[in-house]
Amino acid sequence: MKSSSPKLFGCGSIAQSVLSRGASGNILTSSICFPFGITIAVYASMGVSGGHLNPAISLSMCVLGRLDWLKLPVYCFAQFVGAFIGSAAVFGLYYDAFMSFDGGNLAIYGQNATAQIFSSYPAPHLSLVNGFVDQIMGTAALLLSVLAILDTKNNCVPKGLEPVVIGLVIMVIGLSMNFNCGGTINPARDLGPRLFTAVAGWGIEVFRAGGGWWWVPVVAPIIGGLLGTCLYALFIELHHKEDILEEVCCTKDEQVEGKAKYEMISIQCNK
């Protein structure tokens, strides 16, 4: 599934860091691996589905009329299943390391916790309300950025580089908004792996931890995505000036051709 790649690289980097107790990774390595895993997944699936990896983005595209509503449940199901499979792949890859870490005890709490490799859990200082706001703000920032990057009436990103720029945006969000709860901003990225940990040995406690935290990274990103979409549509997209935007978005060849025509007209006028 297309959502497996980000989990394989992203959760793989976190597993490497946690299971080595920081000797083979840190917050920076995971903040780099997740975005580039997403970039690879977008490139792989762009021609098939448009690179949809996040239910919050898919729903926003439906609201904007850029995705058929009938495709939404199919896309979301594929995203959740892909995240589940990616988590299983990471667990299989590091199975021996998991079994040797803390005597094979699959813990959710404490210094030897490993459940956070797959899903987000709130920091001790974080309340549910603050965590909800955190996820709304992070996903709104993501959607504002994605819509700006994909907006053909804006100052265009070179064709084919959109996934790279989106990956860099996710890296920035991760580096600046990870402290509270890991910066999930994707319901599939959290719920799919949480279901995997529930059946793989961590147990049903993964849904009780953090005061019943599990629903926050599922619901809040959906709201944040819609908020970011509305903000972009109201304050940016509705205010494009067609005559200026056509000039901004023209290709380099079109600019050269236009310059040549201008020079030819100038020469003829000066004769």
Side-chain angles (χ1 to χ4, degrees), residues 190-225:
D190 195 88
L191 183 57
R194 197 179 299 274
L195 287 169
F196 171 77
T197 54
V199 300
W202 283 266
I204 199 66
E205 186 64 23
V206 296
F207 289 98
R208 299 183 184 128
W213 165 261
W214 72 271
W215 65 273
V216 174
V218 176
V219 177
I222 297 297
I223 298 174

Side-chain angles (χ1 to χ4, degrees), residues 77-105:
F77 178 76
Q79 291 156 7
F80 281 108
V81 172
F84 185 98
I85 294 174
S87 300
V90 171
F91 187 66
L93 177 66
Y94 286 111
Y95 179 78
D96 287 345
F98 274 106
M99 292 302 100
S100 64
F101 188 83
D102 192 27
N105 178 41

Side-chain angles (χ1 to χ4, degrees), residues 7-43:
K7 295 304 294 182
L8 179 61
F9 295 126
C11 288
S13 66
I14 299 175
Q16 186 170 281
S17 175
V18 172
L19 298 175
S20 68
R21 299 189 186 277
S24 298
N26 51 44
I27 183 68
L28 182 60
T29 57
S30 61
S31 294
I32 292 173
C33 288
F34 253 117
F36 277 92
I38 291 171
T39 297
I40 293 169
V42 172
Y43 273 124

Side-chain angles (χ1 to χ4, degrees), residues 37-265:
I38 291 171
T39 297
I40 293 169
V42 172
Y43 273 124
S45 60
M46 185 179 291
V48 178
S49 67
H52 286 255
L53 305 174
N54 187 335
I57 293 179
S58 298
L59 176 60
S60 296
M61 293 301 114
C62 286
V63 171
L64 292 172
R66 301 177 189 176
L67 179 66
D68 189 339
W69 283 95
L70 293 177
K71 293 182 179 180
L72 180 62
V74 178
Y75 278 28
C76 290
F77 178 76
Q79 291 156 7
F80 281 108
V81 172
F84 185 98
I85 294 174
S87 300
V90 171
F91 187 66
L93 177 66
Y94 286 111
Y95 179 78
D96 287 345
F98 274 106
M99 292 302 100
S100 64
F101 188 83
D102 192 27
N105 178 41
L106 301 178
I108 301 172
Y109 309 101
Q111 293 182 343
N112 293 324
T114 50
Q116 77 277 15
I117 291 173
F118 300 97
S119 298
S120 70
Y121 292 87
H125 67 268
L126 190 69
S127 66
L128 284 179
V129 173
N130 195 175
F132 199 85
V133 173
D134 174 286
Q135 290 297 289
I136 289 177
M137 291 181 64
T139 316
L142 173 64
L143 263 295
L144 281 167
S145 302
V146 168
L147 291 174
I149 292 166
L150 299 180
D151 191 348
T152 57
K153 295 180 180 180
N154 214 330
N155 193 7
C156 308
V157 173
K159 187 175 181 180
L161 289 181
E162 298 92 342
V164 175
V165 180
I166 290 172
L168 292 173
V169 168
I170 294 172
M171 182 188 298
V172 171
I173 292 174
L175 289 171
S176 60
M177 301 184 186
N178 258 352
F179 180 58
N180 280 335
C181 54
T184 305
I185 62 174
N186 183 339
R189 174 255 181 274
D190 195 88
L191 183 57
R194 197 179 299 274
L195 287 169
F196 171 77
T197 54
V199 300
W202 283 266
I204 199 66
E205 186 64 23
V206 296
F207 289 98
R208 299 183 184 128
W213 165 261
W214 72 271
W215 65 273
V216 174
V218 176
V219 177
I222 297 297
I223 298 174
L226 293 174
L227 175 62
T229 300
C230 291
L231 289 175
Y232 190 84
L234 290 174
F235 295 105
I236 303 295
E237 201 169 70
L238 289 179
H239 303 283
H240 284 314
K241 295 181 179 179
E242 297 294 335
D243 54 342
I244 295 177
L245 294 167
E246 287 177 3
E247 181 180 351
V248 170
C249 290
C250 67
T251 65
K252 185 177 181 180
D253 291 339
E254 290 172 336
Q255 292 175 357
V256 172
E257 182 181 357
K259 183 178 179 181
K261 289 181 180 178
Y262 174 80
E263 291 174 348
M264 182 64 70
I265 293 172

